[in-house]
Amino acid sequence: MANNTLTVTDNRTGTSYTLPIEHGTIRTMDLRQIKTGPEDFGLMGYDPAFTNTASCRSSVTYIDGDRGILRYRGYPIEVLAEHCSFLEVAYLLVWGELPTQAQMNDWVYQITHHTMVHETVKKLLEGFRYNAHPMGMFVSTVAALSTLYPEAKHVEDAEIRKHQMFRLIGKVPTIAAYCYRHSKGYPYVYPDNDLSYTGNFMNMLWRMMEPKYVANPVLERALDILFILHADHEQNCSANAMRSVGSALTDPYLTTAAAASALAGPLHGGANEAVLRMLDEIGSKQNVPAYIKRIKEGHSKLMGFGHRVYKNYDPRAKIIKWTAERVFEATGRNTKLDIALELERIALEDEYFVKRKLYPNVDFYSGIIYQAMGFLPEMFTVMFAIPRTAGWLAQWNEMLTDPEQKIARPRQVYTGEQERAFVPLEKRGAVATAR
Ligand code: SDX
């Protein structure tokens, strides 16, 4: 049996320490014993942006960035995207196993019967300007649900947690659709319990005066696949926000709003919207080489490319690319796809991107599909947040039931002033640095 330990020598004292290695990690707390004397606080680890820090033990999602592997609860994303519905995958993420038919029937019933939102949500949305960004409306409205379900603050109660997870997974499509309808000035459409999760979402988005909405089955399935691909991605920025805020025992609505706020950033879930704006800016295939040149000169990043973990092709991007072709067979080819394909072709051959292991990520093609389906770029990150709510809740639920977890409170390396004498306002000279 290999000796799973690490022996380090502190050259300041000549003392050696042997630290246990478990799951390819050392406990950073084991560094605290390394001191130069009894007054010394002891060593900490310093890891800005947590590039090499495991914050938790999780069994939800596994990623192998070098081999381009993504599995939810051990099932390859390719298999789930081909054989499952999004709600089936949401069940898998939250509860850890694929549902039996009886479990699936109950799960679908519960989610379906929690799609309605309190009528007060409409009044809240009416307070937003017509051109308010849907992500700002979405985050605010999800947070506002906290005021409707005060029992949700009892996060230690498994049954209460389960009920809130039904509500959040059920209501986020309704909230998203209501945000879209508000921005278009259209009346809100109530959920239709006869429809699938994605079919109902399309109904609430696009039904106008027809008595019953009938979803295009190709688009309905494409959306379901996109939701599966976006459902979770281990300890990404927004999942970290979910775990950190949730560790304070904040209710799941405010916690989910915090996670959605992280997702809104252009380096995270906001990238899909940024990709479309980038493709609009490029304008044509002929302009791609000049744009690539600007990227290599450091003027901007190639949105939808690169990933903190994947140093190979994002497996989700491959499936999205396949899905895009199916969508365009139904909607007509989107010229932006041609620009995107040319951008990818050139980038994958260019040393700048190859050396940095920059490949298309999940956001590179998803926006093109959403636009072909009729969504405006402002809605793209909301489209990401809907399925990711299931992943955030799976991470949140796991964190709350992990005996090792407690309120997240990192340390710091202090680089500020040492103690200094206070100078009263009247005695502070003009030489003080202007702020
Ligand atoms: C998502 O974490 C997740 O799992 C997220 C996500 C999920 O499902 O939750 O997968 C979803 O957020 C996908 C990523 C979407 N974001 C984008 O497409 C925005 C563009 N991508 C980059 O901003 C960047 O690639 C990140 C933020 C995704 C990753 O950044 P890292 O890991 O911090 O990498 P880095 O910035 O250290 O880059 C290493 C080098 C740098 O160059 P040098 O300083 O070494 O010269 O690569 C360069 C970067 O400048 N680089 C890029 C680039 N991404 C990195 N150069 C041009 N274009 C890019 N897109």
Side-chain angles (χ1 to χ4, degrees):
M1 178 66 175
N3 178 1
N4 287 323
T5 61
L6 176 73
T7 300
V8 291
T9 299
D10 182 349
N11 294 319
R12 299 172 298 177
T13 61
T15 307
S16 292
Y17 304 83
T18 297
L19 312 178
I21 296 173
E22 195 180 12
H23 299 299
T25 67
I26 59 166
R27 283 180 173 273
T28 324
M29 274 305 286
D30 287 346
L31 298 175
R32 286 283 291 282
Q33 63 185 299
I34 302 175
K35 301 175 181 237
T36 55
E39 298 306 310
D40 186 351
F41 179 78
L43 285 188
M44 292 193 296
Y46 173 55
D47 185 8
F50 314 125
T51 54
N52 192 41
T53 293
S55 63
C56 63
R57 286 177 170 158
S58 178
S59 59
V60 178
T61 293
Y62 174 75
I63 300 172
D64 180 325
D66 292 327
R67 294 194 292 162
I69 290 173
L70 169 58
R71 299 182 194 132
Y72 293 161
R73 301 286 190 181
Y75 294 97
I77 191 68
E78 296 82 358
V79 173
L80 297 173
E82 183 178 353
H83 297 290
C84 294
S85 69
F86 165 70
L87 279 187
E88 197 174 354
V89 170
Y91 183 99
L92 171 67
L93 286 169
V94 171
W95 304 117
E97 296 293 339
L98 285 168
T100 62
Q101 189 59 62
Q103 290 166 334
M104 186 66 184
N105 294 345
D106 178 61
W107 177 250
V108 171
Y109 178 88
Q110 290 295 345
I111 302 298
T112 302
H113 289 80
H114 284 88
T115 50
M116 292 279 282
V117 291
H118 195 289
E119 286 289 288
T120 188
V121 165
K122 294 178 181 177
K123 297 186 178 65
L124 176 72
L125 287 172
E126 289 316 304
F128 291 106
R129 289 163 58 98
Y130 74 95
N131 62 351
H133 195 289
M135 206 49 194
M137 292 195 273
F138 178 84
V139 168
S140 308
T141 308
V142 169
L145 294 182
S146 167
T147 67
L148 298 171
Y149 309 112
E151 75 277 14
K153 62 176 176 288
H154 298 298
V155 297
E156 73 287 346
D157 183 315
E159 281 305 305
I160 289 180
R161 288 203 305 272
K162 182 165 72 171
H163 195 180
Q164 311 322 308
M165 289 195 280
F166 291 152
R167 282 171 165 157
L168 271 161
I169 294 172
K171 294 180 195 313
V172 286
T174 311
I175 292 170
Y178 278 25
C179 292
Y180 174 76
R181 299 288 285 201
H182 173 73
S183 65
K184 300 290 280 185
Y186 295 157
Y188 301 118
V189 174
Y190 284 107
D192 180 342
N193 290 353
D194 296 339
L195 302 176
S196 73
Y197 189 78
T198 39
N200 179 40
F201 177 50
M202 295 164 75
N203 160 61
M204 295 186 288
L205 284 168
W206 291 321
R207 184 158 74 82
M208 299 309 275
M209 300 320 289
E210 66 271 32
K212 187 83 173 175
Y213 180 79
V214 179
N216 176 315
V218 173
L219 301 188
E220 184 176 5
R221 180 56 189 156
L223 207 46
D224 218 45
I225 290 171
L226 285 165
F227 278 11
I228 290 169
L229 300 176
H230 285 84
D232 191 61
H233 213 240
E234 58 135 281
Q235 303 314 314
N236 55 81
C237 182
S238 52
N240 182 59
M242 188 83 182
R243 283 177 170 264
S244 180
V245 173
S247 74
L249 305 188
T250 306
D251 78 63
Y253 302 103
L254 298 178
T255 305
T256 301
S261 299
L263 187 75
L267 294 188
H268 191 9
N272 52 20
E273 178 180 348
V275 167
L276 252 293
R277 301 200 188 290
M278 174 181 73
L279 296 176
D280 281 337
E281 183 186 344
I282 293 170
S284 72
K285 279 175 63 173
Q286 291 68 31
N287 297 337
V288 168
Y291 192 83
I292 291 275
K293 181 171 180 294
R294 284 184 52 226
I295 297 284
K296 291 166 65 175
E297 289 165 353
H299 295 299
S300 62
K301 288 191 183 295
L302 185 56
M303 301 313 280
F305 258 68
H307 199 276
R308 171 63 55 78
V309 175
Y310 289 125
K311 301 309 174 188
N312 196 324
Y313 211 100
D314 186 330
R316 299 169 295 176
K318 284 179 189 169
I319 302 168
I320 289 180
K321 205 169 158 183
W322 176 88
T323 306
E325 293 296 353
R326 306 292 76 73
V327 167
F328 298 136
E329 285 163 7
T331 63
R333 193 164 183 78
N334 185 321
T335 55
K336 292 190 178 55
L337 178 65
D338 298 326
I339 300 172
L341 290 169
E342 180 68 0
L343 205 49
E344 176 186 2
R345 184 188 66 79
I346 294 178
L348 293 184
E349 293 170 352
D350 188 297
E351 180 53 26
Y352 179 92
F353 299 93
V354 172
K355 184 174 76 170
R356 292 168 175 80
K357 298 186 177 181
L358 302 177
Y359 294 88
N361 58 50
V362 68
D363 290 308
F364 189 64
Y365 286 106
S366 55
I368 300 169
I369 297 180
Y370 291 142
Q371 188 188 53
M373 286 180 170
F375 292 103
L376 296 175
E378 292 79 9
M379 274 295 286
F380 293 178
T381 309
V382 175
M383 301 293 291
F384 197 147
I386 294 169
R388 187 52 62 94
T389 296
W392 290 331
L393 290 170
Q395 299 284 347
W396 169 75
N397 200 43
E398 183 179 65
M399 178 271 299
L400 287 172
T401 53
D402 181 342
E404 280 200 309
Q405 292 293 340
K406 52 187 177 180
I407 188 166
R409 202 267 184 234
R411 296 283 182 165
Q412 65 172 15
V413 174
Y414 179 66
T415 58
E417 302 280 349
Q418 294 309 310
E419 183 173 5
R420 50 182 171 163
F422 175 77
V423 178
L425 180 57
E426 64 277 6
K427 292 187 177 175
R428 288 175 214 149
V431 296
T433 310
R435 289 283 183 268

